[in-house]
Amino acid sequence: LPPPPVVLPHEPVGGASRDLNRDVTTVHWNSDGSMLATGSYDGVARLWKCSGELRASLVQHSGPIFALKWNQKGNYIVTGGVDKTAIVWDVQSGQVKQQYAHHKAPTLDVDWQSNTCFASCSTDKLIHVYTLGTDKPFCTFQGHKSGVNAVKWDPSGALLASCSDDHTAKVWSLKQESCLHNLQEHLGDIYTLQWSPTGPGSHNPSAPLVLATASYDSTVKLWEVAEKGQCLHTLRRHNDPVYSVSFSPDGSLLASGSFDKWLYVWSTQDGSLVKQYKGSSGIFEVCWNKDGNKLAASLSNNSVCVLDLRTI
């Protein structure tokens, strides 16, 4: 039998009421897998060891945290939330390194471009790019007509992808103000996106870089970004909004999870359906293991299932 799971109890911090919502909104491992960071509705980011020991509680946000990321080096964490700010934390000391308050509405996502540079996006339709040690964003991308739900840098750090409730995803470069590609084929809000672990800066440099977008229109789309930003494949099987997509470690497969309870695994080469699994309730998140032979899915009935692809 596998060992029982380590439970991470999110207890009230600093005299906060037990009635305060402490739902966990976001989790992220550091690059070597030795520590987990969690962000919660109580506005606290918590750092945990694999043993389950709480190493630090990072208290500064005045409302729920929506996004949290370690940098590659593991010395900083950036968090973003309802209070419209992004905060960079020094992991060693547990202190605030810098707080940025340039968004005019909640910060919905953050992502590191390097160990000292990150992007943030907001319901204010803007994307800011910051370098640590400076007071203001050195770059602001404008163009979305509704809130920006997610931002992700490609493996090389040269391209930033964003997606929005305006039904578009956009690809940006720090070399120009306007977007490189405006990806406009979805018919609903785009909830999330992911870059393939391929192309320059990745472990699979000879394979082409691909962007996947997941939408409330129940489809997933795969895009090329090297030339015109054309849609390569539209993956149609889901009957409800698609909340999560995840590339396998070699980029050859894409998993998608939807509120329709289905987890699908697709070939990124030709867009064909390779595997399927129906969960016990809606799927909010899917994630591969590092060997590319197992998938985890988090479900709306408070359960997580782990699938061995060799047996489904």
Side-chain angles (χ1 to χ4, degrees):
L1 284 173
V6 176
V7 178
L8 309 178
H10 286 61
E11 297 294 340
V13 172
S17 164
R18 290 207 77 83
D19 298 332
L20 185 66
N21 185 340
R22 298 187 301 284
D23 287 358
V24 180
T25 56
T26 179
V27 299
H28 193 225
W29 288 100
N30 66 353
S31 59
D32 67 7
S34 62
M35 288 185 70
L36 184 74
T38 62
S40 163
Y41 239 82
D42 63 2
V44 179
R46 294 169 174 85
L47 309 185
W48 310 83
K49 293 185 179 176
C50 290
S51 62
E53 179 192 337
L54 178 63
R55 199 178 134 229
S57 296
L58 311 179
V59 182
Q60 176 76 13
H61 281 290
S62 60
I65 292 173
F66 286 156
L68 163 158
K69 295 276 171 60
W70 295 84
N71 67 352
Q72 180 66 25
K73 195 172 171 185
N75 59 333
Y76 295 128
I77 286 174
V78 61
T79 54
V82 167
D83 64 8
K84 311 175 190 176
T85 73
I87 300 175
V88 175
W89 304 84
D90 183 303
V91 172
Q92 200 61 43
S93 67
Q95 299 300 306
V96 174
K97 168 89 173 161
Q98 209 161 348
Q99 184 164 11
Y100 301 90
H102 300 96
H103 284 301
K104 296 180 172 65
T107 302
L108 297 182
D109 199 16
V110 289
D111 198 42
W112 291 97
Q113 187 252 3
S114 68
N115 283 315
T116 55
C117 172
F118 73 93
S120 65
C121 66
S122 165
T123 37
D124 68 7
K125 312 175 193 174
L126 298 180
I127 300 159
H128 294 314
V129 186
Y130 297 96
T131 301
L132 285 189
T134 57
D135 293 339
K136 296 192 178 116
F138 72 85
C139 179
T140 295
F141 293 127
Q142 306 181 53
H144 281 296
K145 295 182 169 64
S146 295
V148 184
N149 293 318
V151 282
K152 299 275 188 301
W153 294 97
D154 82 318
S156 73
L159 302 175
L160 180 69
S162 60
C163 63
S164 167
D165 287 349
D166 66 11
H167 304 185
T168 76
K170 299 183 195 295
V171 178
W172 312 84
S173 164
L174 292 173
K175 295 175 182 172
Q176 65 182 64
E177 278 187 24
S178 58
C179 65
L180 280 177
H181 302 303
N182 189 21
L183 313 178
Q184 312 187 70
E185 291 188 24
H186 278 294
L187 303 176
D189 302 2
I190 305 176
Y191 185 72
T192 190
L193 40 65
Q194 290 288 339
W195 290 102
S196 58
T198 52
S202 76
H203 293 301
N204 310 291
S206 57
L209 179 65
V210 176
L211 182 68
T213 53
S215 171
Y216 277 55
D217 68 10
S218 306
T219 72
V220 175
K221 291 180 184 287
L222 293 173
W223 310 82
E224 62 80 20
V225 293
E227 292 172 26
K228 296 180 180 174
Q230 289 181 314
C231 182
L232 301 170
H233 304 291
T234 298
L235 311 179
R236 307 176 198 276
R237 264 303 176 98
H238 290 296
N239 298 310
D240 276 318
V242 184
Y243 286 118
S244 182
V245 285
S246 179
F247 283 94
S248 62
D250 66 359
S252 66
L253 299 172
L254 181 78
S256 62
S258 163
F259 209 65
D260 65 7
K261 305 181 184 178
W262 282 98
L263 185 152
Y264 293 125
V265 179
W266 313 84
S267 162
T268 56
Q269 193 69 41
D270 59 13
S272 62
L273 184 64
V274 178
K275 302 262 187 187
Q276 58 185 12
Y277 173 83
K278 190 171 188 181
S280 53
S281 66
I283 298 174
F284 284 129
E285 194 80 42
V286 292
C287 183
W288 294 82
N289 68 342
K290 68 179 188 334
D291 296 326
N293 57 19
K294 289 178 184 165
L295 271 166
S298 65
L299 309 178
S300 58
N301 64 358
N302 301 335
S303 65
V304 174
C305 68
V306 178
L307 307 170
D308 190 323
L309 290 188
R310 297 162 293 193
T311 60
I312 63 167

